């Protein structure tokens, strides 16, 4: 039984620690935007998008992302998936 299934079965609220995202068959867990590292925000402002993504995902998840993302189009697609998921979480 997954954590989500346990929460649903027991009526426990979902953890406020982040958002789960499935992308190309892999599950990624993102922190809530208010928990993004400030260094990641500064990297994004400096146009260092992949550096920001690495900081947000963490070493292990970023390595998983890089295993399946090979082009700038892949990175853009992943970023769009993140934005779609975050908008759903704000409803």
């Amino acid at each position: 039984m997954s954590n989500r299934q346990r929460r649903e079965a027991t009526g426990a609220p979902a953890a406020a620690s982040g958002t789960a995202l499935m992308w190309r068959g892999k599950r990624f867990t993102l922190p809530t935007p208010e928990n993004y590292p400030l260094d990641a925000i500064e990297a994004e402002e400096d146009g260092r998008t992949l550096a920001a993504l690495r900081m947000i995902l963490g070493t292990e998840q970023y390595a998983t992302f890089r295993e399946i993302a090979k082009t700038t189009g892949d990175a853009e697609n992943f970023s769009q998936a993140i934005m779609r998921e975050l908008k759903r979480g704000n409803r």
Side-chain angles (χ1 to χ4, degrees), residues 19-64:
T19 300
L21 166 72
M22 288 298 293
W23 188 70
R24 297 188 180 175
K26 300 288 184 178
R27 184 175 192 270
F28 296 89
T29 302
L30 305 167
T32 57
E34 61 269 11
N35 289 319
Y36 286 179
L38 286 178
D39 288 341
I41 303 305
E42 289 176 346
E44 180 66 31
E45 288 175 349
D46 291 341
R48 298 174 37 235
T49 306
L50 292 178
L53 186 58
R54 187 180 314 112
M55 290 178 225
I56 291 168
L57 290 177
T59 304
E60 189 174 313
Q61 289 192 116
Y62 186 78
T64 300

